[in-house]
Each structure stands twice: as C-alpha cells, then as structure tokens.
Amino acid sequence: MASLNVYSTLVVLFLTCGAVMAMKENDQIIKENNCETKTGLPCVLEAFTSIFEIGTISNKCCGELVGLGKVFHSALVKRTLENPLFKDLSPAKIIAKSIQTWYNCLALIDSPSPST
C-alpha cells in the first residue's frame, strides 16, 4: 500500500504544473492540448511505471498514450525529468525507455487483435 502512495505522489507531480523547474515549452504543449484531462490516472500510472520504473503498459493505456500523440508523450517525460525529485535518474536511460514504450505501444495499437 505504501508503494501505491509513492506512485500516487509521483503521478501527481508528473501531471501537475507543480514542477517549478519545468520548461515553458513542455508546459505549453501539455496545457494547450489539455493533455492532463485526456487520460485517466490508471493509465498515467502504467505509463509512468513503464518509463521511470520497471513495468508494463496495457493495450488500453497504450491506446490512450498514442491517442495523445508523441509530442505530448515527449513533453511529459522531459518535464518530469526536469523535476528535482528525479535528478538522480539518467536522462539518457529514461529517454530510451520512453522511446521503447512509445514504439511498443505503436506496435500494440497497429497489430491486429487475435480473433476469438
């Protein structure tokens, strides 16, 4: 349960404009597209975990992520990396995981569903 609280806190920081160090460009992209209101908390948690921790992202959440677009995805990752809470993370590794998550989601969305 404690890990859920930690993730919830990280997600709030991930989504809100409370990251004082955020670049205006990333914030502007996110605000102009109302991206913070276009995805649900469970999907944000999945995306965050798959990029900043070790985890997977479901087909449903991949659909939401891809629906928001690559520009939003990149802006949100960059804004999160600018937060002092994440200063010890390797930006190169996070960006690589972000790209991997993006392309994995594209592959899931583009692949035909198995018929039942």
Side-chain angles (χ1 to χ4, degrees):
M1 191 66 168
S3 67
L4 180 60
N5 290 335
V6 170
Y7 284 123
S8 296
T9 301
L10 291 175
V11 167
V12 168
L13 290 171
F14 189 69
L15 287 177
T16 63
C17 296
V20 177
M21 303 300 289
M23 289 174 34
K24 287 185 179 182
E25 180 181 317
N26 294 327
D27 278 347
Q28 187 173 358
I29 290 167
I30 293 165
K31 286 179 186 176
E32 284 178 356
N33 294 296
N34 296 318
C35 296
E36 293 174 329
T37 61
K38 291 182 180 177
T39 190
L41 183 60
C43 287
V44 171
L45 279 171
E46 282 186 29
F48 183 89
T49 302
S50 73
I51 296 167
F52 290 90
E53 299 287 333
I54 297 173
T56 59
I57 184 167
S58 67
N59 290 6
K60 175 187 178 288
C61 293
C62 275
E64 285 190 24
L65 181 66
V66 171
L68 290 170
K70 185 156 179 48
V71 172
F72 161 76
H73 173 73
S74 296
L76 201 54
V77 170
K78 288 176 187 174
R79 185 174 79 173
T80 302
L81 282 171
E82 293 163 356
N83 188 311
L85 289 174
F86 302 100
K87 68 181 179 194
D88 294 332
L89 297 178
S90 165
K93 287 182 182 178
I94 296 301
I95 290 170
K97 285 179 75 175
S98 168
I99 291 168
Q100 179 183 4
T101 297
W102 177 259
Y103 284 111
N104 287 347
C105 282
L106 282 178
L108 282 173
I109 300 307
D110 289 340
S111 66
S113 301
S115 53
T116 53

